[in-house]
Amino acid sequence: MSGVWIFDRNGVTRLVTNPTRESFEQKEPPYPGTATAPGARPRVLVYLPANQVIRSYTELEQRLAELGWSRFCNPNQPNLLQFHKSANSAHLISLPKNFDSFKSFHMYDIVVKNRSFFEVRDPAS
């Protein structure tokens, strides 16, 4: 493992691969709901038919509902929002309850399960 180990105020360490000066200075994520690893480029989820950047779970749930996804209530996972395609389908999308914790790997999960409807982009694109 190459990179730099960083200690935060609580004594928790994390490995920063390919460190940049900005990665050490960044305190808060510049865009909520995007990648927050130091040095990582933020990402946004885009609904392609409307070219709409998804900025909240309300917007995302509306678009997923249009595609046949519905909210799945799982009392065993109270910290997750889950959506399923149908009762007969094994497809499940699991997301953190807090949109600020919505990361790029969650976005890619949505893209893989809805290929022609969503895309992950840089915010400037």
Side-chain angles (χ1 to χ4, degrees):
M1 286 190 285
S2 64
V4 177
W5 287 96
I6 305 293
F7 290 86
D8 69 8
R9 284 179 256 174
N10 300 327
V12 178
T13 62
R14 60 186 160 84
L15 178 64
V16 177
T17 57
N18 303 324
T20 62
R21 185 173 142 213
E22 292 80 22
S23 66
F24 296 107
E25 294 173 350
Q26 184 176 352
K27 302 280 190 274
E28 294 297 319
Y31 305 93
T34 60
T36 57
R41 293 184 318 224
R43 304 274 191 227
V44 292
L45 182 66
V46 177
Y47 180 67
L48 294 174
N51 200 30
Q52 173 194 13
V53 174
I54 301 297
R55 300 189 188 281
S56 70
Y57 279 147
T58 304
E59 293 175 3
L60 178 60
E61 187 168 4
Q62 175 190 354
R63 296 305 186 181
L64 288 174
E66 291 171 7
L67 299 173
W69 292 86
S70 59
R71 182 77 81 69
F72 178 71
C73 296
N74 185 351
N76 297 327
Q77 298 290 335
N79 57 340
L80 294 177
L81 284 178
Q82 295 184 313
F83 298 91
H84 68 110
K85 192 78 168 172
S86 71
N88 300 328
S89 173
H91 293 293
L92 185 70
I93 296 173
S94 296
L95 307 171
K97 273 252 198 239
N98 185 348
F99 191 74
D100 290 337
S101 300
F102 186 56
K103 306 287 186 217
S104 60
F105 66 89
H106 298 112
M107 296 177 196
Y108 284 112
D109 185 36
I110 294 168
V111 169
V112 166
K113 293 172 181 162
N114 301 279
R115 286 193 189 277
S116 56
F117 295 97
F118 288 98
E119 182 176 85
V120 177
R121 296 182 187 162
D122 291 328
S125 298

